[in-house]
Every structure is written in structure tokens, then in C-alpha cells.
Amino acid sequence: HCVYLLNNSLSDVSICKRALKENITIQPLSTYYCGEVKKSGLVIGFAGFDEKQQKTAVLILKTIINDSCIHS
């Protein structure tokens, strides 16, 4: 797994929901925090996927994050 921090103005939950619609299952980092102070980020697993699948998923995720930046 890798953790990628996002700008806190971006909703990691929304990004993960959009990714799931593209068959990319990732977890929002903010849901792992206790208390009020939370960081926005993505928990991404990559084991079990070949290089082509990983590259495709990264490109889709890049588009989702870029769209989120424009609309935040």
C-alpha cells in the first residue's frame, strides 16, 4: 500500500467514490483518523495488479484528481 496526501481542500471520500465508478478501489485516508484533525489522502494498494493495469488506473485517477482541483 501507498499513502498519497492531498490538499485538504479536496475531498478524499469524493475522489474514492468517483474512482470506484471507474472500477478503481482505493480508500480515503481521512476515514482512518480519530478526532477532528484529519488529513485528506488516498490509501492505494497495488499488489496483484500488473504494470499495465497500474498505469491505466493512475491515468484515470489523475483525471479524477485534476477534475476535483478544478471544482474545489
Side-chain angles (χ1 to χ4, degrees):
H1 287 82
C2 293
V3 174
Y4 295 92
L5 296 177
L6 298 169
N7 183 314
N8 276 342
S9 67
L10 298 177
S11 170
D12 55 357
V13 173
S14 294
I15 290 171
C16 290
K17 285 181 182 178
R18 289 186 60 197
L20 187 58
K21 290 179 183 177
E22 299 292 335
N23 295 315
I24 300 171
T25 304
I26 55 178
Q27 299 299 316
L29 179 64
S30 63
T31 61
Y32 289 91
Y33 281 84
C34 294
E36 293 183 31
V37 178
K38 299 177 181 185
K39 290 194 178 196
S40 183
L42 306 173
V43 180
I44 301 174
F46 54 87
F49 299 96
D50 64 34
E51 188 175 340
K52 183 178 178 184
Q53 291 171 309
Q54 291 176 22
K55 285 181 179 181
T56 300
V58 167
L59 291 174
I60 293 168
L61 191 54
K62 178 181 174 184
T63 301
I64 292 169
I65 292 170
N66 285 339
D67 286 349
S68 296
C69 288
I70 292 169
H71 295 105
S72 66

